[in-house]
Amino acid sequence: MVSPALPAAPPAPTPALRAWNMPARIVLPGALLVALLISTQYLFQPFVWRNWPVDEVLLGWFDIVRERVVTALAIGVALVLAGHAPVRSAVLRAVLMAVAIALGAAVGELTPLLLAADSHEHDVRRVLGHVLRWTVVGGRVAAMAYLWRRS
């Protein structure tokens, strides 16, 4: 007796190719946490407490928190958006991650400067220095991600 053939199961849908899967619901709160932690560096400088009253120190810290939050969120958004790029190679993923961090940092650091009517050349140099620092950090993060995936 020959049993009737069962119908073939439909092929499983192939997942959309993505560089990485970092959902915004994880990345953006994480970026806010990083911004807050980085901003506390200001509070741990002894000269700040020696030279200014507490209320001025806290107001200065809030300015720094605001700047760090804008930059961290810009980097987070850039990472989430770049994560949708169809990239298979681990090297290209690392390069894409570094570029996303650098572009996000540039947008985050330049946005407040462009919105301020009284920006000076000194501010531009300071911001470019911050962008360079974030680019180096982004390169390190991308290298770690590449080495982690490779291992």
Side-chain angles (χ1 to χ4, degrees):
M1 218 195 255
V2 176
S3 62
L6 296 174
T14 56
L17 180 63
R18 296 175 69 167
W20 53 77
N21 187 18
M22 293 194 293
R25 70 179 188 283
I26 302 295
V27 173
L28 299 181
L32 289 174
L33 178 62
V34 168
L36 183 63
L37 291 173
I38 289 174
S39 72
T40 61
Q41 177 184 14
Y42 173 79
L43 297 174
F44 290 103
Q45 299 179 40
F47 78 89
V48 170
W49 296 102
R50 282 193 305 258
N51 295 320
W52 290 281
V54 172
D55 59 336
E56 288 185 27
V57 169
L58 293 178
L59 286 173
W61 179 57
F62 288 134
D63 286 341
I64 290 172
V65 168
R66 185 185 69 238
E67 291 174 5
R68 298 302 180 266
V69 164
V70 169
T71 302
L73 288 177
I75 292 170
V77 168
L79 284 171
V80 170
L81 292 176
H84 293 286
V87 177
R88 291 185 189 266
S89 165
V91 172
L92 289 178
R93 276 191 201 109
V95 169
L96 180 63
M97 184 178 285
V99 168
I101 291 171
L103 287 177
V107 168
E109 293 285 347
L110 290 172
T111 298
L113 185 65
L114 295 174
L115 296 177
D118 60 343
S119 61
H120 304 330
E121 182 180 331
H122 171 72
D123 294 334
V124 173
R125 283 185 281 173
R126 181 182 59 84
V127 166
L128 291 177
H130 287 187
V131 171
L132 179 62
R133 179 184 65 201
W134 281 110
T135 302
V136 170
V137 169
R140 289 177 180 172
V141 169
M144 288 186 325
Y146 167 74
L147 292 173
W148 176 69
R149 284 187 179 259
R150 189 168 177 221
S151 70

